[in-house]
Amino acid sequence: NAGVTQTPKFRVLKTGQSMTLLCAQDMNHEYMYWYRQDPGMGLRLIHYSVGEGTTAKGEVPDGYNVSRLKKQNFLLGLESAAPSQTSVYFCASSYRGDSGNTIYFGEGSWLTVV
Amino acid sequence: KQEVTQIPAALSVPEGENLVLNCSFTDSAIYNLQWFRQDPGKGLTSLLLIQSSQREQTSGRLNASLDKSSGRSTLYIAASQPGDSATYLCAVWDSSYKLIFGSGTRLLVRP
């Protein structure tokens, strides 16, 4: 059981380049999330999905796009990377059970935009 | 818009001390509240989840309380150890299945 897997773990981009971060979960969870974490700060929600084929904006969605074509995958795209998007990106998936929400996080993807 | 605030931003204590970390949120209509631990350069580890109908949860030396009406939660760590050094994050679940985080408290427990 792999849990939540993020690809790639590290990436350096030049300003203006595009890239896609892939998040995959094997737990059949309905809900998936993309967060970013900047130094000394908590996690800020970029986009999230409450099911296959659905996406919604979080707190800081500008400059990012997402897709959830398959239930197990949630893709985060940067169309034209900017230095302000240098950050650590975390993906998560969750389900809502009788005792509350259970969430699983990936190990993070370190992105540097130069 | 839900906002989560954690005080203090950083804390340094000698080993063995009991300590309290504070979390406040602006919208009391939360589903659950959760505390996480994050070690440097690592992902998140869930510590405690408090459902909105509960007042507190305990796990070992950790005790988390929730007062929805006042928009506050505290994480109490008893008999702190150097291994407790980490960043502690408070987060609230809203009814739209979003988890909103505070900025964290960076804890250092000195031997």
Side-chain angles (χ1 to χ4, degrees), chain B residues 10 13-14 16-17 23-24 34 38-39 42 48-49 52 60-61 65 68 71 80 82 85-86 95 99 106-108 110:
Chain B
V13 300
E17 192 162 298
C23 172
S24 62
Q34 198 159 0
Q38 186 178 31
D39 293 292
K42 302 292 186 181
L48 291 164
L49 172 72
S52 61
R61 293 182 293 107
S65 67
K68 268 187 60 177
S80 59
S85 298
S95 56
L99 185 60
R106 198 167 56 255
L107 173 65
L108 174 65
R110 309 186 304 271

Side-chain angles (χ1 to χ4, degrees), chain B residues 39-74:
Chain B
D39 293 292
K42 302 292 186 181
L44 278 71
T45 301
S46 177
L47 297 173
L48 291 164
L49 172 72
I50 309 176
Q51 296 183 55
S52 61
S53 58
Q54 297 175 323
R55 299 284 295 187
E56 64 178 343
Q57 278 284 349
T58 298
S59 176
R61 293 182 293 107
L62 305 180
N63 175 275
S65 67
L66 173 64
D67 185 342
K68 268 187 60 177
S69 60
S70 67
R72 297 182 186 214
S73 175
T74 60

Side-chain angles (χ1 to χ4, degrees), chain A residues 38-102:
Chain A
D38 299 305
M41 298 182 69
L43 279 68
R44 290 184 292 169
L45 183 63
I46 304 171
H47 287 280
Y48 66 106
S49 169
V50 299
E52 180 179 321
T54 73
T55 63
K57 294 180 180 179
E59 303 168 88
V60 288
D62 293 343
Y64 304 95
N65 56 74
V66 287
S67 64
R68 183 115 181 255
L69 299 179
K70 294 182 179 181
K71 188 176 185 179
Q72 63 268 34
N73 295 336
F74 195 28
L75 279 63
L76 178 71
L78 286 72
E79 290 188 347
S80 179
S84 61
Q85 294 177 305
T86 294
S87 190
V88 183
Y89 292 84
F90 287 97
C91 176
S93 69
S94 76
Y95 72 94
R96 182 163 286 185
D98 292 338
S99 59
N101 303 328
T102 300

